[in-house]
Amino acid sequence: MSVPIQNQLQNAPIDSFACYRERDPQPDKCIATYVWIDGTGQNVRCKSRVLDYKPKKAEDCPVWNFDGSSTNQSSGHNSDCWLQPCAVFRDPFRREPNILVLCEVYKHDWTPDDNNKRHSCKKVMEEAVVKESKPWFGIEQEYTLVDFSGFPIGWPQGGFPGPQGPYYCGVGYTKVNGRQIVEAHLSACLYAGVKIAGTNAEVMPSQWEFQVGPCEGIEMGDHLWMARFILHQVAEDQGVVVSLDPKPIPGDWNGAGCHTNYSTLPMRQDNGIKHIEDAIEKLSLRHDVHISAYDPSGGEDNKRRLTGLHETARIDQFSSGVANRGASVRIPRHCSSDKKGYLEDRRPASNCDPYVVTEIIARTTILNEK
């Protein structure tokens, strides 16, 4: 029997900032929290500044900088990196009139940081043929709630819970751990303006999923990264760590993915199934290229997850099918019946960069790169 999260969190930090978050807004000031991806390509950083006005869009926000030598993004002798605002969200923690500002990182000479994948993704999404195709994405972000040692919350000390089966979409004290974090995250994303679409408990206990989308083009990466940032901060308040490891627990336990639902305008129209099947054929011909792009380690992280077990396809083989969750790419049952809709690429790992994933899908299926 698992240890309820409430028992583990009884000594968790108290939200001492609650009274400040509930204060009356200062109409002449706006706190802007700048958020960016650091040198790992997986973690987010943030810092805040007080503005004398409230920006309405990214272009209204001043360019800022930070010490890149402390985030593995520059050397100490030339440490300043640029923060270029690219998307603005409402701040669900400090509330109105304060904002969250998603940023791209540039080196001192204004060349993109090595982990600024948004820069190249935006170029692809702005190509005329891509814009005409109106690519929509919806990403299912799986994650695991763990303690400071990396062990899932609610699991027995030094042991394991019962086998998988009762936890997926589970309800009840012994079935799920961390629902208060999930609910707080959902509410915070809705307040922020993130296009979050839903949540559910996953197959492994203490593992959850949220969905973002549909988003068109570059918006997919923007909204997923901001949803991740908000999740980390919500969990921080509860003394819990969010793990995006694709296989956090070895053995007979499900891994964590970032299943990517994708369609173009022709796929969504009548008889779009032909365009879906054409896209799947193109994806099959570049399987290895996509695998190397679907986690930040060039496919090494996914080797632990894509084994052909636990609702995955083998990493070294491409497969597709209708309603087949053991395939590389799945056509949902209703899309097959309606003969239009979308496809689901089940290969991206939970720690993937959505800018990289959406860019390569567009390159392969729309720009016909070989």
Side-chain angles (χ1 to χ4, degrees), residues 202-217:
E202 268 301 333
V203 177
M204 187 181 82
S206 304
Q207 188 181 80
W208 292 83
E209 172 185 302
F210 65 87
Q211 305 90 35
V212 174
C215 296
E216 186 169 329

Side-chain angles (χ1 to χ4, degrees), residues 264 266-267 269-280 343:
T264 59
M267 294 182 193
Q269 294 175 332
D270 289 345
N271 297 314
I273 190 68
K274 179 184 182 302
H275 296 281
I276 294 173
E277 292 169 345
D278 288 346
I280 292 174
L343 61 84

Side-chain angles (χ1 to χ4, degrees), residues 80 130 166 184 196 237 239 242 245 274 307 318 324 355 365:
D80 284 357
V130 176
I196 192 166
D237 273 351
V242 176
D245 190 312
K274 179 184 182 302
T307 61
F318 182 89
N324 183 359
Y355 295 127
T365 63

Side-chain angles (χ1 to χ4, degrees), residues 349-361:
S350 52
N351 61 348
C352 71
D353 187 327
Y355 295 127
V356 176
V357 171
T358 55
E359 176 183 341
I360 195 170
I361 290 176

Side-chain angles (χ1 to χ4, degrees), residues 146-151 239-241:
V146 301
D147 60 23
F148 70 96
S149 70
F151 198 65
V240 171
V241 178

Side-chain angles (χ1 to χ4, degrees), residues 125 130-139 195 212-221 260-269 341-345 357-358 361-362 365-366:
M125 297 304 175
V130 176
K131 293 183 74 172
E132 290 170 3
S133 297
K134 296 189 178 300
W136 286 4
F137 300 92
I139 291 184
K195 291 186 175 180
V212 174
C215 296
E216 186 169 329
I218 195 67
E219 188 180 56
M220 183 69 255
T260 301
N261 300 281
Y262 166 67
S263 70
T264 59
L265 181 59
M267 294 182 193
R268 298 189 292 270
Q269 294 175 332
Y342 62 93
L343 61 84
E344 178 195 41
D345 193 333
V357 171
T358 55
I361 290 176
T365 63
I366 301 175

